[in-house]
């Protein structure tokens, strides 16, 4: 099982989360590429630290929305979104190459992730087109069975399904909107138990108590959440204790 986290989400003098501590715990790092968060110096720092630890670096691409942290929906023309995703991929890949590595996968962020997963086929297609043109070896990290997953698989790209141990699920398998009760799971021990269940049983308990399928290859933890490092420590320890081998999927 892969354990990923969203990192590099600071900007300028503003730091969000403890990237260094989390890089000691995860196997893959979703690095912000400067549009929803992050900047050139942050990208360089995280790429260098990740490469030195053997952590796979993925491009976490988002809307051009620093003020809203990429969590507000933006209507894009297909070509504009495709090109902005390519721009972000190339920027992060440049920093990876400084340390004899490369971007290993792509994951959309925030509102782009959810709209490409659930309802916006044009935006999902723009993501697929950007990856296919830039490097069709790159896997797409996304929700299993989503619109994005289906389009990517249809284009011959590798799809890696991920689950969210620290987010609530609806009975239909989608995430609880962040504005609704139950969106976040904040108890580190509960997050750890959910991660083990995802890894060993391939299921998750939804907010209504139902058990739903969750066939994933990677488990995500949010680096900006309160107590993210402690939570990641517990999750990693619980997975290892359950006999789960942690390794990058890419």
């Amino acid at each position: 099982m892969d354990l990923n986290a969203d990192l590099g989400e600071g900007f300028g003098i503003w730091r969000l989360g403890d990237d260094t501590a989390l890089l000691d715990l995860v196997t893959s790092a979703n690095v912000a590429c400067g549009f929803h968060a992050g900047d050139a110096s942050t990208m360089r720092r995280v790429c260098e630290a990740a490469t030195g630890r053997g952590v796979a670096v993925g491009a976490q691409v988002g809307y051009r929305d620093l003020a809203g942290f990429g969590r507000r929906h933006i209507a894009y023309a297909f070509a504009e979104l495709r090109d902005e995703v390519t721009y972000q991929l190339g920027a992060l890949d440049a920093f990876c190459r400084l340390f004899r590595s490369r971007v290993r996968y792509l994951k959309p962020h925030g509102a782009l992730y959810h709209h490409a997963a659930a309802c916006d086929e044009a935006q999902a297609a723009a993501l697929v087109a950007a990856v296919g043109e830039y490097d069709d070896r790159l896997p797409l990290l996304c929700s299993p069975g989503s619109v994005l997953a289906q389009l990517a698989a249809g284009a011959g790209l590798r799809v890696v399904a991920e689950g969210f141990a620290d987010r609530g699920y609806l009975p239909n398998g989608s995430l609880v909107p962040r504005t609704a009760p139950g969106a976040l799971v904040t108890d580190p021990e509960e997050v750890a138990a959910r991660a083990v269940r995802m890894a060993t049983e391939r299921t998750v308990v939804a907010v209504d108590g139902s058990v739903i399928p969750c066939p994933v290859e990677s488990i995500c933890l949010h680096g900006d959440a309160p107590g993210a490092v402690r939570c990641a420590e517990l999750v990693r320890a619980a997975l290892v204790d359950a006999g789960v081998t942690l390794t990058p999927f890419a």
Side-chain angles (χ1 to χ4, degrees), residues 142-161:
C142 57
S143 298
S146 62
V147 172
L148 177 57
Q150 294 174 45
L151 289 182
L157 302 178
R158 180 184 172 192
V159 175
V160 177

Side-chain angles (χ1 to χ4, degrees), residues 9 14 38 52 91 105 109 117 122 178 197 209 224 245:
E9 294 184 317
W14 180 62
Y105 62 94
H109 165 80
R178 282 185 173 267
R197 183 167 194 150
D224 62 329
T245 299

Side-chain angles (χ1 to χ4, degrees), residues 13 19-20 23 47-48 66 68 70 92 104 137 149 154 162 164 179-180 193 195 197 204 208 213 223 225 235-236:
I13 64 171
D19 293 337
T20 302
L23 283 169
C47 287
E48 181 177 16
L66 284 172
L92 188 65
R104 300 290 179 179
R137 299 169 299 169
E162 76 167 337
F164 294 84
T179 55
R197 183 167 194 150
V204 67
D208 67 347
V235 167
R236 184 181 181 96

Side-chain angles (χ1 to χ4, degrees), residues 170-184:
L170 296 171
N172 66 0
S174 62
L175 296 176
V176 176
R178 282 185 173 267
T179 55
L184 301 177

